Amino acid sequence: MQKPARARILDAAHELMLSLGLARTTTKEIARAAGCSEAALYKSFTGKEELFIAVLNERLPKLAPLLDDLTARPGEGSLEENLVEVVRRAAGFYAQTFPIAASLYADPRLKARHETALREMGKGPHLPIQGLDAYLRAEQRAGRVADGADTYAAASLLLGACTHRAFAYDGTEGGVAAPPLDEFAAGLVRTLLRGIS
């Protein structure tokens, strides 16, 4: 049985955006790969920006629900284990997001159009930082993060390292492999906690 058109469109968009990048992927190519017309694509999505958001929300590792859940339950579980799970999810999310979005930075007009569309949809790359900051502030109120700690800076450092991991190792001379994700996550969180605990 064939998947519904919307699911096929999202699958095709995800695959093409990963292989070609967002800037080079067209709605015409997505529709062709999904086995439908471009008109059918536009029945489900307003354009490439909305498709990109749908791919992020429905095809990539989910970070926002985890952050919302942790923020609602400060003081539960180990702070270190909670943050290690955040790093695992964030690293997976950025590893798939970076190849999709990197091509935007080659075309300033496309990047500006894309950022405008994201703002209009209430989306953007600042949201995970704000979500992690909210969680760290909740833990600060619960007494598990030091009163004077800059939670926004801590969130930026943690997620920035996850973003950097998405491209830092592939470009090294000799192809130095990234440390295993669990090792990376544990080391990053231990180091961060020394500064904010």
Side-chain angles (χ1 to χ4, degrees):
M1 186 167 113
Q2 192 175 37
K3 288 183 179 179
R6 186 181 188 283
R8 291 194 327 270
I9 291 166
L10 277 175
D11 289 345
H14 182 209
E15 185 63 36
L16 287 167
M17 288 176 184
L18 277 175
S19 61
L20 299 177
L22 184 61
R24 291 181 45 214
T25 300
T26 66
T27 54
K28 184 175 286 196
E29 289 169 322
I30 293 168
R32 186 179 316 118
C36 67
S37 68
E38 202 170 2
L41 181 148
Y42 282 107
K43 285 182 183 176
S44 297
F45 302 96
T46 59
K48 198 160 64 167
E49 285 77 15
E50 187 180 354
L51 258 169
F52 174 64
I53 296 302
V55 166
L56 294 183
N57 288 336
E58 299 178 37
R59 295 297 187 266
L60 302 186
K62 307 249 186 295
L63 185 56
L66 172 64
L67 293 173
D68 291 344
D69 184 50
L70 290 173
T71 302
R73 313 179 285 106
E76 290 186 23
S78 155
L79 177 58
E80 183 173 347
E81 289 173 9
N82 291 346
L83 290 175
V84 164
E85 183 57 26
V86 168
V87 170
R88 282 190 195 109
R89 297 261 185 102
F93 176 80
Y94 292 122
Q96 289 194 48
T97 305
F98 184 76
I100 293 172
S103 61
L104 286 174
Y105 293 90
D107 185 339
R109 288 180 306 190
L110 179 60
K111 181 177 177 283
R113 191 179 84 220
H114 179 73
E115 289 170 348
T116 298
L118 289 180
R119 277 192 297 276
E120 288 171 359
M121 289 186 275
K123 302 290 183 183
H126 61 289
L127 294 177
I129 295 171
Q130 290 177 348
L132 182 53
D133 175 44
Y135 169 57
L136 291 174
R137 280 185 284 115
E139 291 289 12
Q140 196 171 43
R141 289 188 296 274
R144 299 204 309 174
V145 170
D147 283 338
D150 184 338
T151 57
Y152 190 84
S156 298
L157 288 167
L158 196 75
L159 294 178
C162 293
T163 305
H164 189 69
R165 186 177 196 273
F167 69 91
Y169 293 95
D170 290 341
T172 59
E173 192 172 321
V176 176
L181 181 55
D182 288 341
E183 180 183 315
F184 170 79
L188 181 60
V189 168
R190 276 195 307 273
T191 302
L192 182 76
L193 287 177
R194 286 188 195 113
I196 66 171
S197 293

